[in-house]
Amino acid sequence: MNRLLFVELKRAITSPVLWAGIIAMIILPAYEIVWSGYGFQVYTTTFLLSDTSKICIFMAVFIPLHTGHDFESRTINNKITAGYKRKQIYFAEVIVSAVCASILLVINTVAGFVFSAVKHLEFSDGITCTKFFIDFVLSLIGIITISAVFTMIIMIVHKELLSIALAVLMALLLLNTGSNAVSDLMQPEYKLDAERNEMTENPLYLTGIKRAAANVHLLVSPFAQAEYEEFMLYETPEEKQNNSAVFLPLFLP
């Protein structure tokens, strides 16, 4: 099992596709921080964890390509002949996928810090390092879960192109529905009526069962959590109680 894991890790880490993803995870924060202008105050934390959904889409392509090669070339039969069980092969691929997804997130985060230092940005406006670390761990758990789902798809389907299509469609669909759930939860309870110059109730603000359903969606879907990452750093205690991917209002006093 250890040898199988070592061989698969080596094959994944030397993959040109993974390195293309690593380069992309460096270019994205470079563009967002160095090459873009903003009409408001920005901090290092403004850009951290904001590319998690893009990592999900990349992994939807990379994992079927990496693991699907074994099925297309029939090399998986050689592993079985060598004495490895299908369960061992699956767990090895899950670990490899998790490592690759983690590398992309770490590289993207480090690049965010580096380019923020180049622009001499302050770390944050009131966000502690502990808060960032907790949110980083939550983001890491989310993309590892997503990578395991994509690995399961290729291990079931066996077809490389079909697996890529299914994984990409799943990623786009669930990221979109997750984004909608986040947008609904982020709606303020009141909004300014420009004509009357007074605060009025926001008809888009979710209450009752609808809000509970949106919150459950955010809690159980790692894709929705990927869309929520950039908001989690800035949520207030009140917003955490209403929106958080960790705490459901239903379970709070």
Side-chain angles (χ1 to χ4, degrees), residues 59-230:
M59 295 304 293
V61 176
F62 172 73
I63 292 175
L65 275 177
H66 171 74
T67 307
H69 175 75
D70 283 351
F71 291 103
E72 296 292 335
S73 62
R74 303 292 184 181
T75 54
I76 194 169
N77 294 334
N78 297 335
K79 296 175 183 178
I80 295 174
T81 303
Y84 295 109
K85 298 179 180 179
R86 290 186 178 273
K87 184 182 294 186
Q88 291 176 312
I89 296 172
Y90 173 71
F91 281 130
E93 295 298 343
V94 167
I95 294 172
V96 169
S97 299
V99 169
C100 292
S102 301
I103 289 174
L104 293 176
L105 182 62
V106 170
I107 291 292
N108 183 256
T109 303
V110 171
F113 278 107
V114 170
F115 291 120
S116 293
V118 170
K119 292 289 287 185
H120 305 290
L121 299 181
E122 296 181 15
F123 176 69
S124 72
D125 182 20
I127 298 173
T128 65
C129 292
T130 301
K131 167 66 173 171
F132 166 71
F133 178 76
I134 292 173
D135 287 353
F136 176 82
V137 171
L138 290 174
S139 181
L140 188 62
I141 293 172
I143 63 168
I144 288 175
T145 303
I146 290 170
S147 67
V149 172
F150 293 152
T151 304
M152 179 184 67
I153 290 175
I154 181 61
M155 295 299 290
I156 293 175
V157 177
H158 296 178
K159 300 294 184 180
E160 189 175 53
L161 292 179
L162 180 58
S163 296
I164 292 174
L166 290 175
V168 170
L169 286 174
M170 173 184 285
L172 293 176
L173 175 63
L174 294 183
L175 285 172
N176 183 62
T177 56
S179 177
N180 291 338
V182 170
S183 178
D184 290 340
L185 288 171
M186 295 300 294
Q187 287 289 335
E189 187 172 359
Y190 297 94
K191 66 175 184 177
L192 177 64
D193 187 328
E195 294 183 358
R196 293 184 292 179
N197 196 29
E198 63 181 23
M199 301 300 292
T200 59
E201 291 187 359
N202 183 1
L204 299 179
Y205 180 77
L206 297 181
T207 58
I209 295 177
K210 290 183 178 180
R211 190 169 196 87
N215 206 300
V216 169
H217 179 192
L218 186 60
L219 179 68
V220 302
S221 172
F223 294 92
Q225 292 165 25
E227 292 288 349
Y228 191 59
E229 283 296 339
E230 57 185 307

Side-chain angles (χ1 to χ4, degrees), residues 32-51:
E32 294 165 351
I33 299 171
V34 179
W35 300 327
S36 299
Y38 299 89
F40 52 89
Q41 179 68 47
V42 294
Y43 302 89
T44 301
T45 49
T46 304
F47 307 97
L48 297 178
L49 305 179
S50 61
D51 295 322

